[in-house]
């Protein structure tokens, strides 16, 4: 298998659908699907573009692309489930699935993720001029456009207040997922970029994926398949200041781990007595 093939790893609401479809519009890259760990972690019915990694390997998943060509570069995305964390006893098996693949890890401010997910909801608005009709992910999103457009309008006036307890637990879930992804940085060809800084780091993305920078600029920012959502969602959270403090601590820890080697078990461990995941922040 071509060792230039890559997986985009991210939490939800980090621009993964915009990025993977835009990259797939580049001449030398084919992209499709969204990989999940298992159907058991989904709260709703799986989408047509979902594939599951627990009983597959990535070679098998990439071979599902139509007209598979061993000399082409293929990419897909693994997006962590928002409501249910990857089970601790699956960590090693999960990480071993990615050996030999390039890892493009996209991170985003956790409070921005919460606002996009809980206030704005999951919405993908297409630019019909740049759809790739052979991709399952594009076709699935196309079929849901009326639903997405309705949700987009409703999100502008969403005033539902999210409890501190709920938001706090989700912040920790997002942090756990990024720690797992960061643990791959010394095992794989790995690039981490903040969602908000992709344009600023387009040269790094160009070098990593071996795609001309001019082409990336065109496909990501001038002619993307997914339109950018410019709604500035409100802070509909109880005790927002306390959430900001926790978010700041988590962000600092992530920044430290980016620059330093670490063992996953030193940050995340499982207490067999309480049967709870322990997090060292």
């Amino acid at each position: 298998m071509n060792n230039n093939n890559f997986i985009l790893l991210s939490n939800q609401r980090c621009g993964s659908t915009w990025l993977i479809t835009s990259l797939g519009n580049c001449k030398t890259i084919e992209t499709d699907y969204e990989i999940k760990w298992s159907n058991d972690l989904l709260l709703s019915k799986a989408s047509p573009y979902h594939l599951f990694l627990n009983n597959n390997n990535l070679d098998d998943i990439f071979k599902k692309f139509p007209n598979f060509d061993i000399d082409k570069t293929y990419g897909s995305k693994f997006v962590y489930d928002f409501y249910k964390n990857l089970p601790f006893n699956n960590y090693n098996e999960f990480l071993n699935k990615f050996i030999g693949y390039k890892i493009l890890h996209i991170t985003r401010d956790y409070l921005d993720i919460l606002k996009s997910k809980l206030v704005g909801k999951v919405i993908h608005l297409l630019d019909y001029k740049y759809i790739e009709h052979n991709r399952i992910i594009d076709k699935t999103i196309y079929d849901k456009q009326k639903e997405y457009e309705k949700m987009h309008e409703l999100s502008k006036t969403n005033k539902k207040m999210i409890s501190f307890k709920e938001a706090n637990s989700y912040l920790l879930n997002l942090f756990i997922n990024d720690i797992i992804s960061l643990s791959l940085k010394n095992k794989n060809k790995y690039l981490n970029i903040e969602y908000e800084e992709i344009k600023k780091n387009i040269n790094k993305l160009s070098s990593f994926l071996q795609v001309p920078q001019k082409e990336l600029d065109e496909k990501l920012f001038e002619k993307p398949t997914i339109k950018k959502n410019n709604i500035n969602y409100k802070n509909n959270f109880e005790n927002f200041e306390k959430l900001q403090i926790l978010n700041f601590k988590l962000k600092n820890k992530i920044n430290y781990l980016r620059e330093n080697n670490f063992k996953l078990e030193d940050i995340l461990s499982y207490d067999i007595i309480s049967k709870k995941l322990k997090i060292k922040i």
Side-chain angles (χ1 to χ4, degrees), residues 97-114:
K97 298 275 189 180
F98 296 96
I99 292 174
Y101 287 87
K102 288 183 175 181
I103 301 297
L104 175 57
H105 179 201
I106 303 299
T107 45
R108 187 183 185 185
D109 180 87
Y110 296 144
L111 289 178
D112 286 343
I113 293 176
L114 291 193

Side-chain angles (χ1 to χ4, degrees), residues 203-214:
N203 59 324
K204 293 181 181 179
L205 189 60
S206 171
S207 176
F208 186 72
L209 295 177
Q210 298 178 19
V211 176
Q213 185 172 328
K214 184 177 180 180

Side-chain angles (χ1 to χ4, degrees), residues 89-104:
N89 60 359
N90 291 147
Y91 281 10
N92 286 335
E93 182 185 3
F94 171 80
L95 293 170
N96 287 335
K97 298 275 189 180
F98 296 96
I99 292 174
Y101 287 87
K102 288 183 175 181
I103 301 297
L104 175 57

Side-chain angles (χ1 to χ4, degrees), residues 123-246:
I123 299 167
H124 302 300
L125 299 179
L126 290 169
D127 189 322
Y128 295 102
K129 297 190 297 293
Y130 308 121
I131 298 174
E132 174 48 68
H133 291 282
N134 292 323
R135 278 197 301 250
I136 296 174
I137 193 168
D138 292 50
K139 290 189 284 189
T140 305
I141 293 172
Y142 177 86
D143 291 340
K144 296 183 69 174
Q145 277 306 280
K146 288 186 177 180
E147 178 184 341
Y148 284 143
E149 288 167 2
K150 182 178 179 180
M151 291 170 62
H152 183 66
E153 289 304 311
L154 289 173
S155 71
K156 295 177 182 179
T157 56
N158 185 4
K159 296 181 180 180
K160 179 184 177 182
M161 189 63 64
I162 296 133
S163 73
F164 174 79
K165 182 178 179 180
E166 180 183 6
N168 182 79
S169 68
Y170 292 146
L171 279 182
L172 292 174
N173 286 351
L174 297 171
F175 173 76
I176 290 166
N177 296 338
D178 277 336
I179 294 297
I180 296 170
S181 295
L182 272 169
S183 72
L184 287 165
K185 68 187 176 84
N186 292 324
K187 301 177 182 179
N188 297 65
K189 293 180 180 178
Y190 171 95
L191 178 65
N192 174 220
I193 303 179
E194 286 280 329
Y195 167 72
E196 298 86 352
E197 297 183 352
I198 291 175
K199 191 173 182 67
K200 186 190 299 184
N201 289 285
I202 200 71
N203 59 324
K204 293 181 181 179
L205 189 60
S206 171
S207 176
F208 186 72
L209 295 177
Q210 298 178 19
V211 176
Q213 185 172 328
K214 184 177 180 180
E215 186 177 11
L216 287 178
D217 276 321
E218 177 190 1
K219 302 303 183 184
L220 270 63
F221 304 111
E222 298 171 21
K223 299 178 180 179
T225 297
I226 304 293
K227 296 178 182 178
K228 185 174 178 59
N229 184 354
N230 292 313
I231 297 177
N232 186 18
Y233 295 113
K234 295 182 179 179
N235 301 325
N236 294 2
F237 302 96
E238 294 176 353
N239 297 325
F240 185 67
E241 292 78 11
K242 287 180 68 176
L243 287 175
Q244 286 179 305
I245 292 170
L246 175 59

